[in-house]
Amino acid sequence: MVPSADSAVADADLVKTRPKPTKQSRFTEVRGQMLAILILCGWVALWEALSRLGLLNPFFFPRPSKIAMAAVELASDGFPDGILVEVHILATLKRVVCGFLLAAGLGVPLGIIIGYMPALDRIFSNIITFGRSIAAISILPLFIAWFGIGEASKIALITFAAFWVSITYTIAGVKFVDPVLLRAARSMDCSTSTIFWSVILPAALPRIFAGLKLSLGVAFLVIVASEMIATVEGLGALIQEARTSFRTDITMLGMLIIGVLGYGLACLLDVAEHRLMPWYKSMRAR
Amino acid sequence: MIRRSGALASIALVLLAWMLSNWLELAPRLLLPTPWDVLGAGWAEAKGGRFIDDISVSLLRLSAGFAIGAITGVLAGIALGWLTLARQALLPVVEVLRPIPPLAWIPLSIIWFGIGEPSKLFLIALTGFFPIAISTFRGVQGIEPVLIRAAQSMDIGRWMVMPRVILPACMPDITTGLRVGWTLSIAALVGAEMIAARSGVGFMIMDAMNNGRFDTVIFGILLLGLFSVSTDYLFSSLLIGRVLRWHAGIEMA
C-alpha cells in the first residue's frame, strides 16, 4: 500500500472509467447546453439587478455592466500604466506554452525510457513521487536566485511543475500496456523495435495525453501565482495590480480571462488528442 | 522491503547529484548551498522561536480550511447529483468557475476578506471545494439505479437512502476528491502564505529569500514536500485501506 507514482494514475482512471449515467441524444445535449447558458444569463441578470437596487456592495461585487466596461477600458487604455490586455494575455501564454513544451519534451521521452526499463523505474519512482509532491510555487524563490527575475525563472518554474506530471503519466502508460497485446505481438514474431513503435507507444498514448492535459493545467496554476510575485506583465500581475488599486471589476475580469484561456488551451489539447488517436474515443473527464 | 531499499537508493542518488553539483561549483555556495548547509539551516530554524509558530499557523490554516472545503464540497456534490433543480441552477456556475486556478482567487479573497486569516481559510477551502464537489457529484451520478431501487423495495424510506446507500456507494469518488483536494490545498496554502502573509512556512521561505538565506529556502521547500508526501501516504493507506476495503474493484498502488 505504498502510494507510488502509479496510484495517482489509478485514481484518475477510477473516475474516468465510470459509465456515463444516461445516454443522451444529440438534441437533448444541445438543449441542455442552451438551458445552461440561459441559466447563467439569469444569474448575471440577478446580480446586476441586486447591485442596481443597492443590495450588493459595489466594491465587493461590482455589477456585471461595470465589468463589461472594464473590458473595454482594458482593451483600449490598458491597465496598469497602459499595458493592454493582449500584452498580458500574450505574456502569460508565452510562458505557459514554453514551459509546457519544455516539460513535455523532457518528461515524455524520459518517461518512455523509464517506463520501458523496470530497473530504472525502481530507482526513480521515489524521486518522481517526491518531485510531484513539492509545491512548485515554493521553488520560485530559488529559481529567481538561479535564473534571475525575468522570463527564465518563470518558464523554469512551469517546466519544473509540469515535468513531474507528464513523466508520471508517461511511465504509467508505458508500464501498464495490456499484456495480452504484448503476448499477441510476440506470438506473431514481431521484432523488439516493432513491438515498441507499433504496440507499446500507441497503447501508451491515451495515458500520455491524459498526463499532458493535466500538466497544462498545472502549468496554468503555477504561472498565475508566480506572476503575482515580482512582475508587471501577465494575467496574474494584472489581477494583483487591480487589487492593490481597488479595481475589483478588473480583478474579476482578469479571473474570467484566465478561466477562459485555461479552458481554451484544454480544448486545444482535446482536439490534438482526437487527431492523433482517432481510434481512442476521448473520454473527457466530465 | 524492496521498496525501502529503493527509497534509500534514491535518496543516496539525489544527495550524490547534489554534492556533485556543489563540488563542480555549478553555482556559488550562497545560491546552491550544500546538503549540510541546509541541515544546519533547519537546525537553526528549529532552535529559533518562530519555527514552531510558523508550522502551527500553517497547519491550523490548512486543517481548518480543508475541513470547510471538504464538508461544503461533499454536501454540494451530493446536492448537485441528487437534486435536479440544484443541478440545473448551479452546475453551469460551477463549470464557469472551475477552470480558474485556485491561486488566481488570491486577490479577490483579499478584497472580500481582508489580509487576515479569513482570506486564507477562504482560499484553502475553495481550493479543496471544487475537486471534492465535482468527484462527489460524479459519484452520485454514477450510482447504479439498481442499488437505489433495491433499497426502496426494502422500504428503506426516503431519507435513509442518503446515509445507507448513496454515501457508501460514492465513497471511492469522495476519497479520490479528498486526496486530490488535499494536495492542491497544500499548494494553495503555500502560495497564499508567500504572496500575502506575515507568518507560516510559506512566509518563512519568502522571508529567507529576501534575506538571501537560500539554505533556509531549500529547507522550507523540502519540509513542505516531505509533509505532502507523508500525509498523502497516510491518507491512502488509512482511508483507502480501511474505509474502502469492502469496495470491489478498488485497486490502489
Side-chain angles (χ1 to χ4, degrees):
Chain A
M1 297 301 292
V2 179
S4 62
D6 317 337
S7 59
V9 185
D11 284 355
D13 286 349
L14 201 74
V15 178
K16 266 169 58 175
T17 48
R18 269 185 183 281
K20 275 197 172 174
T22 47
K23 273 186 188 156
Q24 286 183 321
S25 72
R26 183 92 190 119
F27 175 70
T28 44
E29 196 177 310
V30 170
R31 207 180 56 178
Q33 279 167 357
M34 296 300 281
L35 187 69
I37 291 170
L38 268 179
I39 286 168
L40 268 182
C41 293
W43 282 113
V44 173
L46 183 71
W47 177 358
E48 180 81 31
L50 284 180
S51 25
R52 292 219 176 234
L53 289 173
L55 293 173
L56 286 178
N57 182 324
F59 176 61
F60 294 142
F61 297 96
R63 57 180 71 154
S65 53
K66 194 153 175 264
I67 297 178
M69 303 265 280
V72 177
E73 182 193 335
L74 211 55
S76 55
D77 301 342
F79 183 93
D81 309 323
I83 301 177
L84 293 179
V85 65
E86 60 259 34
V87 177
H88 288 298
I89 295 178
L90 282 179
T92 300
L93 264 185
K94 198 181 75 190
R95 291 167 189 150
V96 168
V97 170
C98 286
F100 169 74
L101 287 180
L102 270 171
L106 286 169
V108 171
L110 283 177
I112 290 174
I113 295 170
I114 294 177
Y116 196 61
M117 299 180 184
L120 284 182
D121 182 44
R122 270 197 293 280
I123 296 173
F124 285 108
S125 76
N126 290 297
I127 297 177
I128 291 170
T129 307
F130 189 72
R132 223 184 24 192
S133 305
I134 289 178
I137 184 80
S138 70
I139 298 262
L140 184 64
L142 209 56
F143 280 5
I144 289 179
W146 288 351
F147 304 112
I149 206 146
E151 294 300 299
S153 60
K154 291 184 184 61
I155 293 174
L157 188 75
I158 295 174
T159 310
F160 176 87
F163 170 78
W164 300 111
V165 179
S166 62
I167 196 172
T168 303
Y169 275 71
T170 308
I171 291 174
V174 174
K175 220 162 71 172
F176 295 147
V177 170
D178 191 350
V180 174
L181 293 179
L182 290 179
R183 278 207 301 273
R186 282 201 201 99
S187 75
M188 287 187 277
D189 255 349
C190 295
S191 66
T192 317
S193 70
T194 316
I195 291 181
F196 181 77
W197 291 108
S198 320
V199 180
I200 294 180
L201 217 50
L205 264 186
R207 273 212 176 85
I208 294 177
F209 253 98
L212 288 183
K213 278 191 219 164
L214 262 183
S215 54
L216 191 68
V218 169
F220 224 71
L221 183 113
V222 168
I223 186 58
V224 173
S226 72
E227 282 174 347
M228 288 186 211
I229 299 172
T231 325
V232 286
E233 275 178 17
L235 293 166
L238 172 72
I239 59 177
Q240 180 74 334
E241 277 298 315
R243 202 267 302 167
T244 29
S245 328
F246 305 105
R247 291 294 303 268
T248 314
D249 49 343
I250 295 183
T251 299
M252 286 187 169
L253 179 67
M255 289 170 64
L256 198 68
I257 297 174
I258 290 168
V260 169
L261 214 60
Y263 186 75
L265 282 175
C267 287
L268 218 64
L269 267 188
D270 273 337
V271 172
E273 178 184 42
H274 207 70
R275 281 281 166 79
L276 264 174
M277 303 179 291
W279 72 89
Y280 180 74
K281 270 197 209 116
S282 171
M283 295 197 265
R284 288 175 61 177
R286 65 190 59 223
Chain B
M1 284 307 107
I2 297 171
R3 284 274 184 193
R4 194 155 298 162
S5 64
L8 283 178
S10 44
I11 291 173
L13 195 72
V14 170
L15 274 182
L16 215 65
W18 187 347
M19 291 191 316
L20 191 69
S21 31
N22 280 137
W23 187 64
L24 292 173
E25 294 192 22
L26 290 182
R29 186 159 167 185
L30 175 74
L31 296 185
L32 184 65
T34 63
W36 323 118
D37 292 344
V38 171
L39 274 183
W43 180 240
E45 277 293 324
K47 275 198 302 186
R50 291 219 42 185
F51 186 56
I52 301 295
D53 290 345
D54 279 334
I55 286 191
S56 41
V57 162
S58 289
L59 274 180
L60 206 65
R61 280 175 187 151
L62 183 66
S63 42
F66 181 72
I68 300 171
I71 294 169
T72 50
V74 169
L75 289 179
I78 289 177
L80 286 175
W82 196 233
L83 308 169
T84 317
L85 190 67
R87 178 164 61 245
Q88 281 181 338
L90 294 177
L91 198 60
V93 181
V94 172
E95 290 290 342
V96 167
L97 295 182
R98 201 162 61 114
I100 299 173
L103 291 176
W105 286 83
I106 290 180
L108 197 60
S109 71
I110 295 174
I111 291 171
W112 282 350
F113 298 101
I115 55 168
E117 291 309 307
S119 66
K120 272 122 216 151
L121 288 185
F122 169 75
L123 190 79
I124 295 164
L126 183 92
T127 307
F129 175 82
F130 280 106
I132 294 169
I134 294 287
S135 58
T136 307
F137 165 64
R138 281 208 199 104
V140 176
Q141 287 232 305
I143 290 176
E144 304 262 351
V146 174
L147 288 180
I148 295 169
R149 280 207 301 273
Q152 279 165 347
S153 75
M154 286 187 271
D155 249 350
I156 190 172
R158 206 188 134 100
W159 292 105
M160 289 310 279
V161 180
M162 188 65 72
R164 301 304 289 276
V165 181
I166 293 177
L167 212 56
C170 55
M171 218 48 202
D173 299 274
I174 295 179
T175 33
T176 305
L178 287 175
R179 197 173 162 191
V180 173
W182 175 255
T183 317
L184 285 176
S185 292
I186 296 177
L189 169 83
V190 181
E193 287 182 343
M194 287 174 70
I195 293 166
R198 300 252 134 252
S199 59
V201 178
F203 173 71
M204 181 190 101
I205 293 177
M206 215 52 194
D207 195 41
M209 174 183 101
N210 291 332
N211 293 324
R213 289 303 303 268
F214 291 99
D215 43 359
T216 312
V217 170
I218 295 180
F219 173 69
I221 295 168
L222 293 180
L223 189 74
L224 287 168
L226 271 178
F227 177 72
S228 178
V229 164
S230 46
T231 47
D232 189 58
Y233 172 75
L234 273 180
F235 195 90
S236 58
S237 49
L238 282 181
L239 215 61
I240 296 169
R242 295 263 166 76
V243 182
L244 297 179
R245 178 160 296 170
W246 53 275
H247 231 286
I250 304 280
E251 286 166 36
M252 283 298 152

